[in-house]
Amino acid sequence: MTKKSLQTTLIHTDYAPPAGFDAYPPGIHRASTVLFENVAALRSGDWKNKTAYTYGLHGTPTTFTLEARLAEIEGGKHCLLAPSGLSAISMVDFAFLTSGDDVLLPDNVYNPNRELGRWLSQDFGISARYYDPLVGAGIAELIQPNTKLVWTEAPGSVSMEVPDLRAICDAAHARGVLVALDNTWAAGLALRGFDVGVDIVMHALTKYQSGGSDLLMGAVITRERAVHDKLATAHMRLGLGVSPDDAYLVMRGLPTMKLRFEAHDRAAREVAAWLKARPEIVRVLHPAFEDCPGHAHWQRDFTGAGGLFSVIFDERYTEAQTDRFVDSLELFGLGYSWGGANSLAVPYRMGAIRRDWQEQGTLVRFNIGLEDPRDLIADIEQALATL
Ligand SMILES: *Cc1c(COP(=O)(O)O)cnc(C)c1O
C-alpha cells in the first residue's frame, strides 16, 4: 500500500499476526461489522448459516462455539444464545405463539415467565393458561385445538414440585403440541431434557453454567431443524445478541460445572437434612426428599439435585419473625438468582405468586453455595435462635 497519513495509520495496518496460534481458551471475537471477502460473499451472506459470518449480532466464532458446546452437553443439535434467561423464554414464546394461540404454563413457573404469559394474554390475543405442575397425563384434558406450546419447569424453582415430564410430553405430542422445558435447575447435568421427550430446552446460563454470579445469559437448545429455524427467525427479529466476553466467561465455567454442581448438591442435602430435623421447620421442599411433591419423578428421571431448595416455617412464627431470621443470616446473602459460590436466602410471599397455595407458614428458599456446609448450618442455627 502507498504511504498513508498518520491518521489513517492509526486505523489501518498491514500487520497480521502469525497464523497457527492455538490454546485451550477459546478466542474472544468482538464485532459489530463482520468483513466479507468480496461483494459476491456479501451478497450471498445468510444470517441463518452458522458456517459463515454476516454481522456481529448473528454470531462470532466465540458465540458459535458456546452454542455448539451447550447443544452437545444437553444432547441437542442446535442452540441459540440470548442476553438473559428471560429473553430466552420470550424468544420461545415469540417463535411459536401468534394471535389466537394458546400456551399452557405450570402454576409454579418462574414468575417472570408467568408475567410474560399475562402480557401475551392482555395485549397479544394469546391465551395463557396455568396448570397444576403435578397434572401429568391430565394435561391432555387442558390441550385445546389452538394450544401450541406447553411450558414445563423441573422442578419449580421456589415450590419445588417435580413434574411428570414424560407423561406431559406424551400427551402434548399426541396432539402435535410442542413442549418447552426450563432446565435451569438441573443445568443439563442432572436431567437432559431430550431424554424425557421435550422438544425445546431453555437454560438460564446465569446460574450454574456461569457459576460466577457475574453475568446474565440464556440459551435455547433443540434437536429438530424445523423447530430451530423458527427460533432462529424469532432470535433474528428480536435482535438478541450476547457479549462475546460474557460468552467467554460462560465457557470458562463449563469445565468445572459438574464438580461445582455435585458439591452444591452434597452440601444442600446436608443442610436440608439438618433443617428437616428442626422443630421450627414444618417442611423441607427438596426434590431428593421423599415428601417433596413429585419426588418419584425426580427419582425416575434425575441423577442429582444441585443447591436449591426451600423450607416452610411453622405457622406459629409471624412473617416479622421469619424476616428477622433471614436478616440474621451472616453467610447467606439476601438476593435473587443462584448457582454461584455464595449461599443465598430469599423469603417468598407465596400467596402473591400461587393461586392454590395451601401452606400457612413462611417459605424461605435457600441457594447453598460452595462454603463448608458445617459453617452454613452453624449460621442457620444462630439465626433460628433469633426467632
Ligand atoms: C434465573 C432463572 C431464569 C431467568 O434467567 P435470567 O438470566 O435471570 O433472566 C429463568 N428460569 C429459571 C428457573 C431461573 O432460575
Side-chain angles (χ1 to χ4, degrees):
M1 205 181 266
T2 53
K3 191 160 166 37
K4 296 167 290 195
S5 76
L6 177 57
Q7 175 56 34
T8 302
T9 304
L10 290 172
I11 301 167
H12 289 265
T13 176
D14 292 332
Y15 178 76
F21 176 81
D22 201 9
Y24 288 116
I28 301 175
H29 297 268
R30 303 184 54 87
S32 50
T33 300
V34 168
L35 297 174
F36 295 92
E37 192 72 31
N38 51 42
V39 174
L42 180 141
R43 290 213 172 108
S44 66
D46 171 13
W47 59 267
K48 256 190 198 170
N49 174 7
K50 296 213 178 200
T51 63
Y53 306 98
T54 50
Y55 187 55
L57 187 59
H58 307 314
T60 66
T62 313
T63 57
F64 282 0
T65 303
L66 177 55
E67 287 175 343
R69 298 207 58 192
L70 294 170
E72 196 179 353
I73 292 166
E74 187 74 41
K77 281 210 180 101
H78 315 283
C79 175
L80 292 159
L81 299 175
S84 64
L86 182 55
S87 60
I89 291 170
S90 63
M91 183 205 319
V92 174
D93 283 1
F94 282 102
F96 296 105
L97 300 173
T98 181
S99 170
D101 288 346
D102 175 61
V103 56
L104 289 166
L105 299 129
D107 272 321
N108 61 356
V109 75
Y110 177 64
N111 204 44
N113 190 348
R114 170 195 304 276
E115 180 54 35
L116 178 61
R118 200 174 292 136
W119 188 36
L120 296 175
S121 302
Q122 269 170 15
D123 294 343
F124 291 83
I126 293 163
S127 68
R129 292 179 300 136
Y130 300 88
Y131 65 88
D132 174 350
L134 296 173
V135 69
I139 196 93
E141 286 152 41
L142 298 174
I143 293 174
Q144 302 172 166
N146 65 338
T147 305
K148 292 288 158 58
L149 180 67
V150 176
W151 269 104
T152 58
E153 197 170 311
S157 63
V158 178
S159 50
M160 298 292 155
E161 303 90 342
V162 188
D164 186 344
L165 291 169
R166 293 175 193 270
I168 290 173
C169 290
D170 285 349
H173 292 161
R175 305 279 290 276
V177 176
L178 290 171
V179 178
L181 166 68
D182 182 336
N183 201 16
T184 303
W185 186 84
L189 297 172
L191 174 75
R192 291 168 98 227
F194 300 112
D195 292 352
V196 292
V198 305
D199 306 286
I200 301 160
V201 175
M202 169 261 147
H203 281 285
L205 308 175
T206 308
K207 311 290 166 53
Y208 289 118
Q209 284 81 358
S210 152
S213 312
D214 54 357
L215 63 85
L216 293 148
M217 202 181 295
V220 179
I221 303 166
T222 50
R223 275 188 171 170
E224 298 296 326
R225 182 86 221 181
V227 176
H228 168 76
D229 283 347
K230 281 201 132 183
L231 286 160
T233 303
H235 183 264
M236 188 276 279
R237 289 177 174 161
L238 291 166
L240 303 178
V242 307
S243 155
D245 292 284
D246 287 351
Y248 173 83
L249 286 175
V250 173
M251 280 191 274
R252 200 173 201 273
L254 294 181
T256 59
M257 177 167 70
K258 188 162 175 290
L259 300 175
R260 287 185 281 112
F261 188 88
E262 287 164 0
H264 287 293
D265 187 356
R266 274 193 306 277
R269 289 195 215 203
E270 193 175 328
V271 175
W274 184 86
L275 278 159
K276 201 166 164 53
R278 292 293 304 200
E280 298 90 344
I281 304 298
V282 290
R283 291 194 71 184
V284 172
L285 301 170
H286 186 303
F289 287 24
E290 264 175 33
D291 54 348
C292 187
H295 165 74
H297 307 136
W298 176 83
Q299 204 165 31
R300 182 189 66 191
D301 296 333
F302 289 66
T303 58
L308 200 75
F309 69 91
S310 297
V311 300
I312 294 169
F313 279 81
D314 191 294
E315 60 186 281
R316 73 177 180 272
Y317 300 111
T318 63
E319 189 181 63
Q321 284 176 293
T322 53
D323 284 358
R324 189 162 67 230
F325 161 78
V326 174
D327 282 336
S328 303
L329 292 165
E330 286 165 10
L331 290 176
F332 289 79
L334 175 59
Y336 295 105
S337 199
W338 36 279
N342 292 77
S343 290
L344 302 169
V346 184
Y348 281 86
R349 287 187 164 151
M350 296 304 288
I353 53 174
R354 282 295 290 274
R355 39 174 196 148
D356 56 348
W357 191 247
Q358 301 294 332
E359 302 285 349
Q360 298 302 314
T362 304
L363 181 148
V364 174
R365 185 182 78 175
F366 291 99
N367 163 54
I368 302 302
L370 296 173
E371 301 95 338
D372 188 321
R374 288 169 300 186
D375 293 329
L376 297 175
I377 287 169
D379 188 27
I380 294 172
E381 189 163 28
Q382 67 76 25
L384 284 174
T386 69
L387 282 170

